[in-house]
Amino acid sequence: MNLTLKVWRQKNATSRGHLTTYRVKEISPDMSFLEMLDVLNERLILDGDDPIAFDHDCREGICGMCGLVINGVPHGEQRATTTCQLHMRHFKDGDTIVIEPWRAAPFPVVKDLVVDRSAFDRIIEAGGYVSVPTGSAPDAHAVPVPKASADTAFDAATCIGCGACVAACPNGSASLFTAAKITHLGLLPQGQPERARRARAMVETADELGFGGCTNIGECTAVCPKGIPLATIARMNADYLGLAATGD
Amino acid sequence: MSTEFYRTGAPIEDGKAPDGVIAERWDNRRFAAKLVNPANKRKLTVIVVGTGLAGGSAAATLAELGYDVKSFCYQDSPRRAHSIAAQGGINAAKNYRGDGDSVHRLFYDTVKGGDFRSRESNVYRLAQVSVEIIDQCVAQGVPFAREYGGLLDTRSFGGAQVSRTFYARGQTGQQLLLGAYQAMARQIQAGKIEMHPRTEMLDLILVDGRARGVVTRDLVTGEVRNHFADAVVLASGGYGNVFFLSTNAKGCNVTAIWRAHRKGALFANPCYTQIHPTCIPVSGDHQSKLTLMSESLRNDGRVWVPLTGGDTRAPADIPEAERDYYLERIYPSFGNLVPRDIASRAAKNVCDEGRGVGPGGLGVYLDFADAIARLGRDAVAAKYGNLFEMYERITGEDPFETPMRIYPAVHYTMGGLWVDYDLQATIPGLFVIGEANFSDHGANRLGASALMQGLADGYFVLPNTIGDYLAAGPFEPLDDAHPEVADAAEAVRTRVAKLLAVNGSRTPDSFHRELGRIMWDYCGMERTDAGLRKAVGLIQALREEFWRDVLVSGESEELNQQLEKAGRIADFFELAELMCIDALHRTESCGGHFRGESQTPDGEALRDDETFSYVAAWEYTGDRPVLHREHLTFEYVKPSQRSYK
């Protein structure tokens, strides 16, 4: 198929960006979206142009490195899919596709479609862990965990940290990302001792980094490649407000 | 001995190998190792390159112990290293099932699975610490699968006869890595780890023969910079991307360990490559990587091809009598569950006979029709739903309706830098852990053992052994002006400039694809003397063309993904040649290394223990490499011919 691409080009963090139009021909429906960009980049190099910079690594939907806003939707319109797992068979011959980077103040553009998501690392560093130095663990069966808790914790723990939730949110909120970790660890017995401290530190760090607040719109969960549920945000709020009420 | 391809040097020995009763060796070594006073630990700095399971767990643990750690990864966050993509699970000799498992059985299975080309002492230690890994990860909050009683669930995996694999659905690697990443995050917050994401190591700094630091390039600004330490740990993963198409992440590369190899670290068993049997086949020339489908699918899927070549009917139109369930036919006792190397080669054989299916005839069916009839659609969906979905995303075909098509793909490299029992390379102060070293898997790795080894090295082995070396530190302070430092940094700048200056007519990827094709054709699932000789010539010619005609766009002082690629490909060329030479010299078949000339009458791998019961450790010379042999002895597991019939 033949397609028209409008791609965000931006030389570096400080320069102004703009959409540039490219035409690509004979795209196979079996290609992934990123392979389609590979084909374009090979041509740009041979033409003496600067190839388009975009982040990607595992190309199997788990590392969380890739992420493009495709026709206005983070990771494109197919539900529960990362950009690398989106295939060209979902497009039609003659389509025009607009490709942009994540847009959020705490995710500044580095170059073209590459953004800096290190703010997510800062949120985890604030408290997204259980403090258990190597070698200090009891036997794994010393603390049974109800299967339902383990399963719900797992669902939240599948977050890949791609940032689509922030890119989709009109408020640029990191609530779904933050809540996923708070839910994962807060549901497990191992996470209890630090539960209140963790929620406060992570929420306040997200605020300080410039992420917006949550107004329950739900765009985040709609674009999340792992389908992290909105209910995690309710849990985060309960942990955060609960500790405010007890004065902890 | 010497040939046109290599020279033979003095044998080497593992100078740190403890002796005595195997079960006591790790205790003995820990007791004999020197300790570092807690007050001195904070005066010592350790560099860790790579943040996968091995590097992440090592960085966190070293920081917890009190060392100052500098950690580096090429990704934008340490959470993204490719350990994250491991699906199946992690082995541990917990024997929670009471099904006869033990440390000794895990040890035995791993030595046998490695086709008797690994060290008994190392493997035994791995089996011992496997137990502690599960405890540690559970305490971190890793959400392993559980039973209704709240205890951990396990499954059998990769043909093991006991149920020792712990798992977190099909995302075990992700959950374990996030556990290690979070432990790192805690130490970053505490100021004990200085994290450098989007930073690539381009050379090792040696001062007075010791590993004292790394030269890096900041992938955003292009700045080339020196970092100093008292010891350097490489945890940079495997080199399967030398084949271009593999299940590795696109960024996985050999540069960190290859640069160390060029500086004197011996490279062991480079030709040992694991080719995984259940991957989604190539769909066209645009293919950029291959995706693994978990081995667990072979528990219920049946592998088959049409009985006769050139049968282009849809699978549903081929009657039972005209199908060949070849694994069940050739290996009646293990059937579809034979180990990876055997399943891969059998698939290659039927495709070579012209009976493969799908585009180019490079695929075999993995059929769930029987399982769906026997267990019901819902039960199959509960077990494999996420994998079926992933398959459908990529191929557009629904495995509930039509059989999956699968084909082998490069997945893991058992070879790596040579290390002693302490995980120290032949350069003092250089330690190598995880897939980047060669230590535990011999010639073939068993399923669910990579995660075990990465975490064993990082959490439990290295933090104990590195102290023995660091007890002699801190070493002399260094700065950029030190002659050996300045030389290393200058070499990096020169090389970057050289890549940009070629300004030829072919893209880096076009060279990488061609190199990968050579490796797959001649150093892949079946290797022969003639093929390998030919490959060496082709690689040398292509490498010469690369340095004459590669076109790297852009500048060095900016984010330049083509420049990153070109540097990695340049190192892959040199590695590829060494892999072929190693494969050429090892005229036996063993594990993942199959030499066409060395097979049993019915086509199975034929080892030659008389001649080849050794680790091949190669020294870089710039000309013909020098082979140093480390002889392997087996006191506890008697080498035997593997049989899965």
Side-chain angles (χ1 to χ4, degrees):
Chain A
M1 63 182 104
N2 300 326
L3 302 164
T4 302
L5 308 179
K6 296 189 169 182
V7 183
W8 185 261
R9 302 304 309 261
Q10 183 172 335
K11 185 142 180 60
N12 53 43
T14 51
S15 62
R16 281 180 73 89
H18 55 274
L19 286 170
T20 302
T21 302
Y22 301 96
R23 293 203 164 70
V24 288
K25 290 179 185 155
E26 292 166 28
I27 295 299
S28 155
D30 288 329
M31 281 182 192
S32 71
F33 198 85
L34 299 183
E35 285 168 346
M36 183 270 295
L37 290 180
D38 290 342
V39 168
L40 172 59
N41 271 347
E42 290 289 286
R43 195 189 82 203
L44 292 177
I45 296 168
L46 294 177
D47 289 350
D49 293 331
D50 198 21
I52 300 158
F54 60 91
D55 266 333
H56 64 99
D57 203 23
C58 79
R59 296 204 178 189
E60 49 188 280
I62 193 74
C63 76
M65 190 111 175
C66 69
L68 304 173
V69 176
I70 300 165
N71 289 336
V73 182
H75 292 308
E77 279 180 40
Q78 198 188 14
R79 299 287 288 239
T81 303
T82 56
T83 302
C84 65
Q85 295 294 284
L86 177 64
H87 280 66
M88 297 313 293
R89 67 180 71 91
H90 300 288
F91 296 89
K92 296 190 308 292
D93 185 40
D95 276 357
T96 295
I97 306 174
V98 181
I99 307 170
E100 297 166 274
W102 286 173
R103 306 269 188 203
F107 288 168
V109 171
V110 175
K111 181 178 180 182
D112 295 340
L113 303 169
V114 175
V115 300
D116 177 356
R117 285 169 293 197
S118 53
F120 268 9
D121 291 318
R122 302 292 92 74
I123 293 174
I124 298 296
E125 287 156 16
Y129 45 75
V130 174
S131 298
V132 51
T134 302
S136 58
D139 184 85
H141 270 179
V143 186
V145 179
K147 182 170 166 54
S149 302
D151 286 351
T152 311
F154 179 88
D155 289 339
T158 57
C159 169
I160 58 173
C162 64
C165 48
V166 175
C169 179
N171 307 329
S173 173
S175 286
L176 195 69
F177 170 79
T178 310
K181 189 49 62 190
I182 287 172
T183 299
H184 160 208
L185 297 176
L187 278 169
L188 297 172
Q190 291 82 5
Q192 296 312 308
E194 295 166 292
R195 184 170 163 190
R197 188 177 158 272
R198 173 184 310 119
R200 179 164 53 199
M202 291 179 73
V203 169
E204 288 172 1
T205 300
D207 288 347
E208 285 162 17
L209 289 162
F211 290 104
C214 174
T215 49
N216 286 315
I217 295 166
E219 292 282 346
C220 52
T221 187
V223 300
C224 175
K226 299 298 154 184
I228 307 287
L230 206 56
T232 55
I233 298 180
R235 280 186 186 278
M236 172 178 77
N237 290 337
D239 278 6
Y240 185 76
L241 296 171
L243 72 95
T246 59
D248 186 0
Chain B
M1 197 187 108
S2 111
T3 76
E4 61 180 299
F5 294 104
Y6 66 93
R7 289 183 288 137
T8 303
I12 52 163
E13 266 187 54
D14 174 1
K16 302 287 175 38
D19 48 19
V21 179
I22 197 162
E24 294 169 7
R25 287 178 189 170
W26 179 223
D27 262 357
N28 292 342
R29 177 65 197 131
R30 278 186 292 179
F31 184 70
K34 293 194 249 336
L35 294 176
V36 180
N37 176 319
N40 285 341
K41 283 188 179 134
R42 61 172 177 269
K43 298 176 194 157
L44 293 160
T45 302
V46 180
I47 281 173
V48 183
V49 179
T51 59
L53 286 178
S57 60
T61 305
L62 292 171
E64 287 163 7
L65 286 170
Y67 298 110
D68 276 331
V69 175
K70 294 182 189 177
S71 170
F72 299 84
C73 67
Y74 71 77
Q75 299 90 345
D76 72 331
S77 162
R79 67 179 290 150
R80 307 204 197 281
H82 197 54
S83 303
I84 205 153
Q87 298 170 359
I90 177 165
N91 287 328
K94 279 286 197 184
N95 194 29
Y96 280 157
R97 297 270 172 181
D99 57 0
D101 199 11
S102 62
V103 166
H104 201 92
R105 188 174 296 282
L106 176 53
F107 155 69
Y108 174 89
D109 288 352
T110 307
V111 171
K112 181 185 171 201
D115 219 0
F116 307 95
R117 292 291 175 266
S118 51
R119 284 187 196 138
E120 283 190 334
S121 297
N122 286 54
V123 177
Y124 198 91
R125 175 177 65 189
L126 176 66
Q128 283 175 309
V129 304
S130 70
V131 175
E132 295 173 73
I133 294 171
I134 302 302
D135 299 341
Q136 182 63 30
C137 295
V138 165
Q140 290 171 343
V142 170
F144 284 116
R146 288 182 183 264
E147 311 259 24
Y148 282 101
L151 301 179
L152 295 165
D153 193 15
T154 54
R155 59 187 176 196
S156 67
F157 200 79
Q161 288 165 302
V162 292
S163 185
R164 65 159 75 99
T165 305
F166 295 79
Y167 67 101
R169 277 182 227 166
Q171 284 133 276
T172 316
Q174 180 197 26
Q175 295 308 316
L176 295 173
L177 184 65
L178 293 179
Y181 159 71
Q182 288 163 206
M184 278 185 82
R186 178 167 161 256
Q187 296 303 317
I188 293 170
Q189 183 80 347
K192 292 300 290 178
I193 298 179
E194 185 184 292
M195 185 66 226
H196 298 268
R198 290 202 199 270
T199 306
E200 183 165 41
M201 166 183 162
L202 293 181
D203 214 344
L204 181 69
I205 296 173
L206 284 185
V207 176
D208 299 332
R210 292 179 191 272
R212 291 298 312 279
V214 294
V215 183
T216 61
R217 180 172 176 272
D218 181 318
L219 299 183
V220 175
T221 64
E223 185 197 6
V224 172
R225 206 185 132 187
N226 306 317
H227 299 269
F228 306 117
D230 297 288
V232 175
V233 180
L234 301 184
S236 52
Y239 49 85
N241 271 351
V242 67
F243 291 85
F244 185 74
L245 289 179
S246 82
T247 65
N248 287 2
K250 290 295 286 176
C252 293
N253 65 82
V254 76
T255 291
I257 59 172
W258 191 258
R259 294 281 121 195
H261 174 57
R262 288 181 61 119
K263 289 265 168 110
L266 300 189
F267 203 121
N269 301 332
C271 81
Y272 289 167
T273 309
Q274 178 161 82
I275 304 203
H276 197 291
T278 53
C279 301
I280 301 178
V282 172
S283 71
D285 292 339
H286 54 264
Q287 194 87 28
S288 62
K289 78 151 275 159
L290 294 169
T291 302
L292 179 85
M293 291 274 99
S294 170
E295 188 160 32
S296 63
L297 291 167
R298 286 198 282 145
N299 286 325
D300 286 300
R302 298 180 68 195
V303 177
W304 65 275
V305 290
L307 205 51
T308 49
D311 188 338
T312 53
R313 287 176 290 177
D317 298 335
I318 302 180
E320 275 298 310
E322 292 171 46
R323 300 177 176 192
D324 180 13
Y325 294 90
Y326 59 89
L327 288 176
E328 297 170 23
R329 173 172 59 79
I330 306 171
Y331 305 100
S333 65
F334 277 73
N336 294 297
L337 293 174
V338 291
R340 292 175 176 178
D341 52 340
I342 297 195
S344 291
R345 208 148 37 72
K348 176 186 190 295
N349 289 342
V350 295
C351 292
D352 287 351
E353 290 161 20
R355 298 196 285 147
V357 299
L362 292 175
V364 300
Y365 290 125
L366 179 62
D367 196 336
F368 291 87
D370 283 3
I372 294 166
R374 177 164 44 89
L375 305 167
R377 188 186 164 108
D378 290 350
V380 172
K383 270 177 144 170
Y384 307 116
N386 62 333
L387 295 168
F388 281 23
E389 223 172 82
M390 186 159 138
Y391 181 84
E392 187 176 6
R393 281 232 164 85
I394 293 172
T395 63
E397 294 173 0
D398 178 3
F400 282 113
E401 303 299 328
T402 187
M404 280 186 180
R405 285 175 297 109
I406 54 166
Y407 197 66
V410 173
H411 179 54
Y412 188 90
T413 47
M414 281 73 71
L417 290 188
W418 185 91
V419 288
D420 62 16
Y421 188 71
D422 280 2
L423 304 181
Q424 187 168 208
T426 46
I427 294 174
L430 180 69
F431 292 79
V432 191
I433 59 177
E435 192 178 345
N437 74 25
F438 86 105
S439 71
D440 295 351
H441 304 297
N444 175 54
R445 180 177 64 74
L446 292 179
S449 285
L451 305 186
M452 172 173 68
Q453 187 226 334
L455 290 181
D457 286 0
Y459 281 134
F460 297 107
V461 179
L462 176 88
N464 280 295
T465 58
I466 199 170
D468 187 64
Y469 175 79
L470 288 171
F475 302 107
E476 98 179 91
L478 298 174
D479 60 34
D480 293 345
H482 188 288
E484 291 184 88
V485 175
D487 285 353
E490 190 47 38
V492 166
R493 289 195 180 90
T494 306
R495 198 170 128 91
V496 167
K498 192 173 160 194
L499 283 166
L500 287 162
V502 177
N503 200 20
S505 69
R506 280 185 69 177
T507 64
D509 261 357
S510 78
F511 281 103
H512 197 177
R513 268 181 203 281
E514 192 174 337
L515 173 66
R517 187 74 215 199
I518 295 169
M519 291 301 284
W520 181 247
D521 286 347
Y522 301 110
C523 197
M525 274 187 284
E526 182 171 338
R527 294 121 181 225
T528 63
D529 185 85
L532 289 163
R533 283 170 192 276
K534 182 173 175 191
V536 170
L538 291 171
I539 293 164
Q540 287 171 345
L542 190 63
R543 182 173 68 208
E544 188 274 326
E545 185 186 340
F546 173 86
W547 283 106
R548 185 165 41 79
D549 198 27
V550 71
L551 172 57
V552 182
S553 53
E555 326 264 325
S556 66
E557 310 285 305
E558 60 172 356
L559 179 83
N560 186 339
Q561 295 172 324
Q562 297 302 317
L563 179 61
E564 296 166 29
K565 268 187 201 176
R568 293 167 189 166
I569 296 164
D571 289 332
F572 278 137
F573 272 117
E574 297 181 12
L575 165 76
E577 192 176 334
L578 185 66
M579 287 173 74
C580 290
I581 291 170
D582 186 39
L584 188 60
H585 110 281
R586 191 173 283 275
T587 54
E588 66 162 354
S589 297
C590 60
H593 169 64
F594 188 82
R595 279 290 298 260
E597 302 91 342
S598 181
Q599 44 186 311
T600 63
D602 44 5
E604 300 299 332
L606 183 62
R607 283 201 326 268
D608 175 1
D609 291 339
E610 254 329 89
T611 320
F612 287 106
S613 187
Y614 63 78
V615 174
W618 297 93
E619 179 188 347
Y620 181 86
T621 63
D623 183 24
R624 286 179 301 165
V626 177
L627 170 66
H628 300 271
R629 295 187 177 91
E630 180 199 340
H631 187 64
L632 293 169
T633 50
F634 295 90
E635 297 171 66
Y636 291 85
V637 188
K638 195 175 148 32
S640 57
Q641 172 78 31
R642 290 193 307 162
S643 172
Y644 297 92
K645 295 215 166 176

